[in-house]
Amino acid sequence: MKILITGSKGMLGQDIVKELKKTKFEIFDFGKEKLDITNKSDMNIIKKISPNFIINCAAYTKVDLAEKEKEKCYSDNVKGVKEIVDICKRKNFTLVHISTDYVFDGTKKEYNENDKKNPINYYGKTKAESEDIIINNLKKYYIIRTSWLFGKNENNFVEKFLRFSKGKKELKVVNDQFGSPTYTKDLSRAIIKVIDKKYGIYHITNSGNCSWFEFASEIVKKKNIKCKLISCSTKEFPTKAKRPRYSILKNNKIKKLRLWKLALNEYLKEK
Ligand SMILES: NC(=O)c1ccc[n+]([C@@H]2O[C@H](COP(=O)([O-])OP(=O)(O)OC[C@H]3O[C@@H](n4cnc5c(N)ncnc54)[C@H](OP(=O)(O)O)[C@@H]3O)[C@@H](O)[C@H]2O)c1
């Protein structure tokens, strides 16, 4: 069985490739420099390989910058996905696409797989639109919604927090946005297990949930960091893109992953 991964140099892409190497799949992994999903002629690479599965980890993921770089975000997250969907449709490839909790507005405490999408920022809008393109055009697809990822990358919350807290006496962290932190290693393993299940939408995150303040507090505790955390509201710490207040993804379909605190503990030890 052949499996092709786009965006393989990204945080999640790297871990998916690493985990896939432990399986019997024949792996074809491409970073953006070798396969740009917005480039029609790059689709010939996919055609030539003729994979059974495509895991699309390629995406524009800078949530705040997306409010300004709308064209770029739309191109990667919608036009690029359209290219992949076209080729999957024509060649009967199965698409595994990664999506986000930010397709929801955060007015509900927990979201089921079939709840209505209502994104409140531009990034979320593009991710919701790409989901619809997949659902309306393909039968063989898995849409994996996940949230608050941490893994081997400098730009996730854990790494940013470790950098910002260095030498600081105190730091403000918001206490009124709630989600489920998720380790890319755990997510990758779960994605590999999902792809022989029924097609459709899956919610995959580590178990449990917290606010960003609680997430930061756990890092402080585990790493014994001497920085005092001050909890504050989103109003006091506004970001360019609006964030959903609650974006907890209820997983009704597969075995639950371990608690986020356990996953975080392992990540901090391994890195
Ligand atoms: N990070 C999170 O907290 C989070 C939460 C929920 C869902 N997700 C979803 O999870 C998926 C993976 O995210 P991630 O955190 O691994 O993001 P990431 O680290 O930013 O990785 C995305 C990768 O896609 C590449 N890429 C961008 N445009 C491309 C294009 N046109 N063609 C090919 N590759 C392209 C990027 O390359 P460049 O860096 O060179 O542009 C980057 O290597 C995304 O679909 C994201 O929406 C992420």
Side-chain angles (χ1 to χ4, degrees), residues 111-122:
Y111 287 91
N112 295 309
E113 292 84 353
N114 290 325
D115 278 341
K116 198 170 175 295
K117 302 190 280 284
N118 184 29
I120 55 170
N121 58 44
Y122 191 74

Side-chain angles (χ1 to χ4, degrees), residues 28-127:
F28 300 85
D29 55 307
F30 294 94
K32 188 181 174 179
E33 73 296 345
K34 290 207 181 118
L35 197 167
D36 183 333
I37 60 166
T38 64
N39 189 346
K40 247 189 199 334
S41 64
D42 283 359
M43 294 304 120
N44 289 324
I45 303 172
I46 302 182
K47 234 190 272 173
K48 237 181 171 174
I49 293 167
S50 191
N52 303 85
F53 296 93
I54 298 175
I55 305 188
N56 181 37
C57 294
Y60 181 104
T61 58
K62 300 177 187 89
V63 179
D64 287 309
L65 204 57
E67 300 295 322
K68 218 170 89 184
E69 294 189 343
K70 287 191 170 144
E71 240 172 78
K72 173 96 190 75
C73 179
Y74 193 82
S75 176
D76 289 338
N77 290 356
V78 181
K79 290 185 182 163
V81 173
K82 179 91 180 34
E83 292 296 338
I84 305 258
V85 165
D86 284 348
I87 192 163
C88 286
K89 197 173 178 176
R90 273 188 283 127
K91 299 283 173 186
N92 201 27
F93 304 147
T94 301
L95 177 60
V96 184
H97 178 72
I98 317 301
S99 194
T100 170
D101 52 335
Y102 285 5
V103 297
F104 296 119
D105 60 16
T107 53
K108 233 184 121 188
K109 284 215 167 163
E110 285 186 325
Y111 287 91
N112 295 309
E113 292 84 353
N114 290 325
D115 278 341
K116 198 170 175 295
K117 302 190 280 284
N118 184 29
I120 55 170
N121 58 44
Y122 191 74
Y123 161 79
K125 280 188 184 135
T126 61
K127 295 295 286 186

Side-chain angles (χ1 to χ4, degrees), residues 47 70 88-89 117 175 185 196 199 215 220 238 248:
K47 234 190 272 173
K70 287 191 170 144
C88 286
K89 197 173 178 176
K117 302 190 280 284
N175 63 4
K185 180 163 102 177
D196 61 21
Y199 300 124
F215 192 5
V220 163
I248 296 147

